[in-house]
Amino acid sequence: MEGLQRSRYGTMAEGGIEHQGFEPSFSLRIILSVTRKCQRATGTWNGRSILVVDTPPIFESRAQDQEVYENIGACYLLSVPGPHVLLLVTQLGRFTEQDAVAVTRVKEVFGAGAERYMVILFTRKEDLAGGSLDEYVANTDNLRLRSLVQECRQRYCAFNNRASGDEQREQLAELMAMIEGLERQHQGAFLTNELFFDAQMLRQIGGGAHGESQRRYLEKVRLQVAKQKQDLKEAERNCAFKVLLRLKAWIVSHAKIFVLVLCLFIFLAIVISLYSTHQR
């Protein structure tokens, strides 16, 4: 997945990258991907404080080593007490297996219910050549993308990479309207879990990058991600089991119809057989 460049999208990401202190409780916190290292930028939008945390490739399928857990820990630290939005950035027409894996990794990193805070941002809107984004999404033959759009409850928009001036401001306004609408839908609630609490405690005590508190924190990161990964697998198994139960219930509830249809076929077969015998 591609990360937004701070220099391209105006005031949403203006301001220096900071690594200390807490953001005001009224700030809107957004997580997107991908950069070389975890970093955050602050700015304002219509008088609202905005915090954008950009992530390194912690959502790739190969991302399992110690550095990855350090980056996950940093992502939590930079976005405490939790993000209002997880912005999934992908190129229009290029939603690949790697992107699908990244979506799964997002759920493993942030836990169950992460999809409730997801918004899809397509880049290269210009490739539509004036066509409708809604029609593209509705008619795509990419089943993984369709599934993701359903999970995100149709929350998506697109950026023209070549936009400038008014067009650039308008597409940013569209994205921010969607993000703020999602925040209102959740009544100001944000994605959080026990690890965000641990991250906030570490920031409060000012644990050093290589201190004992940091070491314990990273171990909690590793255990939490492992637990969330296992929870996700169990949820998928439970979902499949529920589908089978519903299928079984449907078959049982329609058993009489099946029997009648079967009897009808048998009766027709007998009639046809008798008719053929009589014709001979």
Side-chain angles (χ1 to χ4, degrees):
M1 289 192 176
E2 303 172 24
L4 294 177
Q5 298 299 315
R6 292 199 311 124
S7 60
R8 284 194 60 81
Y9 299 109
T11 56
M12 182 176 74
E14 286 180 359
I17 297 171
E18 303 172 5
H19 296 276
Q20 302 295 330
F22 292 94
E23 297 303 316
S25 59
F26 57 83
S27 66
L28 184 62
R29 296 177 295 279
I30 303 169
I31 291 180
L32 57 88
S33 62
V34 179
T35 56
R36 298 287 293 179
K37 63 179 180 179
C38 253
Q39 56 186 4
R40 69 178 184 174
T42 57
T44 59
W45 175 260
N46 290 340
R48 180 82 180 276
S49 174
I50 305 294
L51 168 66
V52 180
V53 176
D54 209 343
T55 66
I58 59 178
F59 305 124
E60 294 181 355
S61 58
R62 301 185 303 273
Q64 300 291 341
D65 59 19
Q66 180 63 21
E67 183 180 1
V68 169
Y69 291 118
E70 290 174 358
N71 282 319
I72 293 173
C75 182
Y76 269 79
L77 282 166
L78 294 175
S79 57
V80 292
H84 296 92
V85 173
L86 300 172
L87 193 60
L88 307 179
V89 186
T90 187
Q91 183 176 321
L92 195 70
R94 291 286 303 275
F95 190 81
T96 64
E97 172 67 23
Q98 182 179 358
D99 288 327
V101 169
V103 173
T104 300
R105 287 285 294 168
V106 167
K107 298 174 184 178
E108 292 173 359
V109 168
F110 293 108
E115 66 277 2
R116 296 175 57 236
Y117 299 87
M118 291 180 184
V119 172
I120 307 169
L121 175 61
F122 294 104
T123 61
R124 298 188 62 89
K125 182 181 179 181
E126 63 271 20
D127 289 351
L128 289 173
S132 166
L133 177 62
D134 290 336
E135 288 183 6
Y136 166 79
V137 171
N139 298 323
T140 181
D141 57 0
N142 189 321
L143 298 182
R144 295 189 186 95
L145 179 57
R146 282 190 179 184
S147 176
L148 176 61
V149 169
Q150 290 177 350
E151 279 192 272
C152 295
R153 304 289 182 89
Q154 307 292 317
R155 293 187 297 269
Y156 59 83
C157 60
F159 275 10
N160 181 342
N161 290 26
R162 301 173 184 173
S164 60
D166 288 343
E167 183 182 1
Q168 189 182 82
R169 285 187 288 272
E170 286 172 5
Q171 62 188 20
L172 180 57
E174 179 186 3
L175 172 62
M176 292 305 299
M178 183 170 294
I179 289 174
E180 290 175 334
L182 180 59
E183 183 193 22
R184 287 193 297 273
Q185 179 183 328
H186 290 152
Q187 299 181 331
F190 46 84
L191 174 62
T192 192
N193 56 37
E194 185 177 346
L195 194 53
F196 276 111
F197 175 78
D198 292 331
Q200 189 156 357
M201 294 299 295
L202 181 64
R203 286 182 62 170
Q204 286 178 335
I205 65 176
H210 303 288
E212 180 63 20
S213 296
Q214 176 73 7
R215 188 195 64 77
R216 289 198 301 268
Y217 169 67
L218 291 179
E219 178 62 15
K220 289 181 178 179
V221 169
R222 186 185 66 79
L223 293 175
Q224 181 78 7
V225 171
K227 179 181 181 300
Q228 289 170 174
K229 186 175 183 178
Q230 183 62 34
D231 290 345
L232 182 61
K233 289 181 179 179
E234 290 180 4
E236 291 173 347
R237 285 196 293 267
N238 290 338
C239 182
F241 182 67
K242 288 178 181 178
V243 169
L244 290 175
L245 286 179
R246 284 196 292 268
L247 178 60
K248 178 183 177 182
W250 187 88
I251 292 174
V252 170
S253 65
H254 293 77
K256 292 181 180 180
I257 296 177
F258 282 127
V259 171
L260 289 174
V261 171
L262 181 60
C263 289
L264 178 60
F265 276 117
I266 293 173
F267 174 75
L268 288 174
I270 294 172
V271 170
I272 292 171
S273 177
L274 290 173
Y275 178 79
S276 299
T277 302
H278 178 71
Q279 288 295 97
R280 294 194 190 99

